[in-house]
């Protein structure tokens, strides 16, 4: 990870943040938005826990768990891409970027099958408060996955700083999912 | 470089292991409300552990003690709030 200035020159704690400060501003704002939405989900759950539990039982936990494995592995690939770029091995870095994007696509395919299964059962965004939250939160997250894939492909072959910034966005997507999955899919 | 590879690979292995722990907890059906609360707390703790790994190892926050502490605090507050809301639904 690259820091913006050397340890000797650090004058504030902001300089201790690895990578670009503005990407951290974006990461924090996204985490706050998702965090607030997840807490709102849990708050609304209090109004009808039995209905929420019944709706949650319909979710495909295996697909969600598989998607967790997919995303953390894609995060690993993205982090390796940054390492290879820092080492000057751009060809290898590209391969890791493709691996990360490939796994991101797998995530979207699995998520797509989940949505299709729900729609086939007549379940939609207006079915119940649970599914309103489910589709909004996971759909918003999936949009970030799409954006992350596009960003990674655009910065492929760039210098270490640009790669690190783009990959930080991908790790944020990963981070949100590891908090989202347990709360939406598992807590009962 | 090899050391960084090892650290990253170790982080990935831990994340996968934590994911399996979460999946194992999710598959257990507990009848007693107290056990369900405990399971819920464990699920959130596992989520927090995964989040810390991603922040520290993937995002590189481990290089800053100050920011690690800040994000740990924010994460802890979020998880406590989440557990409180989860527990209130159970007991309320």
């Amino acid at each position: 990870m690259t820091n913006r200035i050397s340890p000797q020159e650090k004058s504030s704690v902001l300089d201790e943040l690895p990578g670009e400060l503005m990407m951290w501003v974006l990461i924090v704002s996204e985490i706050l938005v998702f965090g607030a939405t997840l807490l709102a989900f849990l708050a609304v759950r209090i109004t009808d826990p039995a209905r929420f539990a019944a709706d949650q039982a319909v979710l495909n936990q295996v697909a969600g768990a598989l998607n967790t494995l997919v995303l953390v592995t894609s995060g690993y690939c993205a982090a390796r891409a940054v390492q290879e770029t820092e080492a000057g091995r751009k060809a290898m870095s590209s391969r890791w970027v493709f691996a990360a994007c490939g796994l991101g696509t797998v995530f979207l395919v699995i998520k797509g099958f989940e949505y299709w299964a729900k729609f086939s059962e007549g379940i939609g965004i207006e079915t119940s408060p649970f599914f309103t939250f489910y589709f909004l939160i996971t759909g918003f997250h999936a949009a970030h996955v799409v954006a992350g894939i596009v960003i990674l492909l655009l910065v492929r072959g760039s210098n270490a700083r640009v790669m690190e910034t783009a990959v930080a966005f991908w790790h944020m997507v990963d981070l949100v999912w590891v908090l989202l999955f347990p709360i939406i899919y598992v807590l009962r | 470089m090899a050391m960084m590879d090892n650290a990253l690979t170790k982080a990935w292995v831990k994340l996968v292991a934590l994911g399996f722990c979460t999946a194992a907890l999710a598959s257990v059906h507990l009848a007693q409300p107290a056990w369900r609360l405990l399971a819920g707390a464990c699920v959130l703790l596992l989520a927090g552990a995964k989040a810390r790994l991603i922040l520290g190892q993937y995002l590189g926050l481990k290089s800053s003690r100050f920011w690690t502490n800040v994000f740990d605090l924010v994460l802890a507050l979020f998880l406590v709030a989440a557990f409180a809301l989860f527990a209130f639904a159970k007991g309320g």
Side-chain angles (χ1 to χ4, degrees):
Chain A
M1 283 283 173
T2 59
N3 281 321
R4 293 187 306 286
I5 57 179
S6 68
Q8 293 77 19
E9 295 172 303
K10 286 180 185 171
S11 56
S12 79
V13 291
L14 287 177
D15 298 321
E16 292 180 27
L17 279 172
E20 286 292 335
L21 177 59
M22 288 314 298
M23 179 49 72
W24 280 101
V25 171
L26 176 62
I27 288 171
V28 168
S29 63
E30 294 283 0
I31 289 171
L32 288 175
V33 167
F34 275 102
T37 313
L38 288 170
L39 290 179
F41 166 83
L42 287 169
V44 172
R45 179 174 169 270
I46 292 171
T47 63
D48 195 351
R51 179 66 196 264
F52 265 62
D55 288 341
Q56 189 192 51
V58 174
L59 293 184
N60 190 333
Q61 284 189 337
V62 173
L66 189 58
N67 262 346
T68 303
L69 176 63
V70 166
L71 266 191
V72 300
T73 306
S74 77
Y76 172 77
C77 295
R80 288 301 304 271
V82 172
Q83 282 182 347
E84 296 295 341
T85 301
E86 288 170 346
R89 293 191 284 268
K90 288 199 172 179
M92 188 54 107
S93 173
S94 267
R95 290 194 195 109
W96 283 112
V97 166
F98 279 131
C101 292
L103 287 167
T105 304
V106 168
F107 176 93
L108 291 171
V109 167
I110 293 173
K111 180 54 61 186
F113 273 118
E114 275 193 84
Y115 282 0
W116 173 77
K118 295 293 162 290
F119 297 148
S120 300
E121 293 168 29
I123 295 171
I125 198 169
E126 293 181 356
T127 298
S128 65
F130 175 90
F131 281 108
T132 300
F133 274 102
Y134 168 76
F135 282 111
L136 283 178
I137 296 174
T138 61
F140 191 42
H141 178 265
H144 283 74
V145 173
V146 172
I149 291 172
V150 171
I151 291 169
L152 284 177
L153 289 174
L154 283 175
V155 304
R156 193 174 54 89
S158 299
N159 61 49
R161 188 142 198 89
V162 171
M163 278 291 301
E164 185 180 27
T165 302
V167 166
F169 181 86
W170 190 248
H171 292 322
M172 180 272 296
V173 171
D174 202 354
L175 177 64
V176 167
W177 179 259
V178 298
L179 296 173
L180 179 163
F181 168 68
I183 289 175
I184 302 273
Y185 283 78
V186 181
L187 277 187
R188 59 172 184 266
Chain B
M1 181 71 175
M3 281 176 61
M4 287 162 64
D5 286 352
N6 276 339
L8 209 49
T9 304
K10 278 182 188 171
W12 175 74
V13 170
K14 286 177 188 172
L15 282 167
V16 171
L18 289 170
F20 276 115
C21 290
T22 303
L25 265 177
S27 65
V28 174
H29 292 279
L30 300 164
Q32 296 291 331
W35 284 113
R36 284 190 180 181
L37 272 180
L38 182 61
C42 290
V43 164
L44 289 172
L45 279 172
L46 288 169
K50 280 181 262 180
R52 282 194 90 239
L53 271 170
I54 290 171
L55 283 164
Q57 299 293 332
Y58 281 12
L59 279 161
L61 266 192
K62 68 183 188 300
S63 63
S64 168
R65 188 72 249 163
F66 174 80
W67 288 109
T68 298
N69 289 340
V70 168
F71 277 88
D72 278 351
L73 177 63
V74 171
L75 194 54
L77 288 173
F78 171 75
L79 293 173
V80 165
F83 180 73
L85 290 168
F86 166 70
F88 191 75
K90 286 263 172 244

